[in-house]
Amino acid sequence: MNALIAATALFVGGHFLLSSAALRGALIARLGDNMFRGLYSLVMLGSFTWMLFAYGAAPYAALWVTPIGLYWLPVIVMPFAAILIVASLTTPNPTMVGGERLLADGTGAPAVGIFSITRHPMLWGTGLWAVSHLLVNGDLPSLVLMGGIAVLSFAGMVHIDSRREAALGAAWGPMKLTTSRLPFGAVLAGRTKVDWHGIGWWRPLLGLVLYLGLMHIHIYAFGVSPLP
């Protein structure tokens, strides 16, 4: 458990610390942008791998008994999470590492595709995965790992928005005004319309293929069926 806590703290805290304006700026000034990105990726990959191994080795300690009906929650939620992740990875993303150039140089339209629904589709995808699986598992190791990823996902949205606004200034304005952290928030407020054409048909389809693939390998990879 100590290793899992340390690895999760490094993975989650490392994201916030290394992307903070003061430390990021100092490291880039000393190492250069490419070297910094390499260091950042190495730390995140190493801590993520350590976290997964530590989770697998951590002793099971139940915290609550999961009601049988709750076992359907990941089955229902994960198709949406998979679609959000696929759409995020296949659409030019101003909120990802290095994506600020899409707004800074004026080449990127803010509320395009999945970003007309939420400007943080990747983090919503990982957050939905973390919360739905944490509620079902109900044990201490899952609380640490999945709770950590949930914190990184939802607090990360606020952190990214704050950094982008500070770094880009007026260039962040169109993104802030025409998109929202909360899914469909900007749509319901009348600040944008869902860009169904930009989302396309193949991104949801590929997301569902990913979901079905994960359902198929779940019992082999994790030792439990994803179905109640």
Side-chain angles (χ1 to χ4, degrees):
M1 276 304 303
N2 288 338
L4 176 59
I5 292 171
T8 305
L10 178 60
F11 180 69
V12 176
H15 272 88
F16 291 111
L17 186 62
L18 290 175
S19 61
S20 64
L23 183 57
R24 178 187 175 91
L27 289 174
I28 289 177
R30 179 176 292 271
L31 302 173
D33 190 58
N34 289 336
M35 186 68 74
F36 169 78
R37 292 184 190 279
L39 174 65
Y40 184 94
S41 300
L42 184 63
V43 171
M44 292 305 106
L45 179 60
S47 58
F48 182 71
T49 302
W50 181 25
M51 183 173 66
L52 293 182
F53 277 103
Y55 176 72
Y60 180 84
L63 296 176
W64 61 80
V65 177
T66 304
I68 187 64
L70 198 59
Y71 281 99
W72 286 103
L73 182 62
V75 179
I76 296 170
V77 166
M78 284 306 298
F80 299 100
I83 291 171
L84 285 166
I85 291 171
V86 167
S88 175
L89 293 174
T90 57
T91 307
N93 189 343
T95 64
M96 295 290 280
V97 176
E100 60 270 16
R101 70 182 186 279
L102 296 172
L103 298 177
D105 61 13
T107 60
V112 63
I114 194 66
F115 298 101
S116 62
I117 295 177
T118 173
R119 61 174 169 265
H120 297 289
M122 172 63 78
L123 293 180
W124 270 104
T126 57
L128 289 173
W129 170 84
V131 172
S132 63
H133 283 74
L134 170 60
L135 292 174
V136 166
N137 285 328
D139 61 271
L140 184 57
S142 295
L143 178 63
V144 173
L145 182 143
M146 296 167 189
I149 293 178
V151 169
L152 176 61
S153 298
F154 296 115
M157 299 180 196
V158 179
H159 181 66
I160 290 171
D161 286 354
S162 177
R163 287 195 300 112
R164 287 290 187 268
E165 187 164 16
L168 297 174
W172 179 249
M175 187 76 180
K176 182 178 181 179
L177 290 173
T178 60
T179 64
S180 59
R181 283 196 291 264
L182 186 68
F184 297 102
V187 175
L188 294 175
R191 293 187 279 115
T192 194
K193 295 181 179 179
V194 177
D195 181 19
W196 296 114
H197 179 74
I199 294 172
W201 60 268
W202 62 270
R203 289 184 177 90
L205 179 61
L206 187 57
L208 292 177
V209 169
L210 173 62
Y211 166 72
L212 292 174
L214 292 172
M215 290 282 285
H216 178 70
I217 69 170
H218 199 283
I219 193 168
Y220 305 106
F222 306 109
V224 293
S225 171
L227 297 175

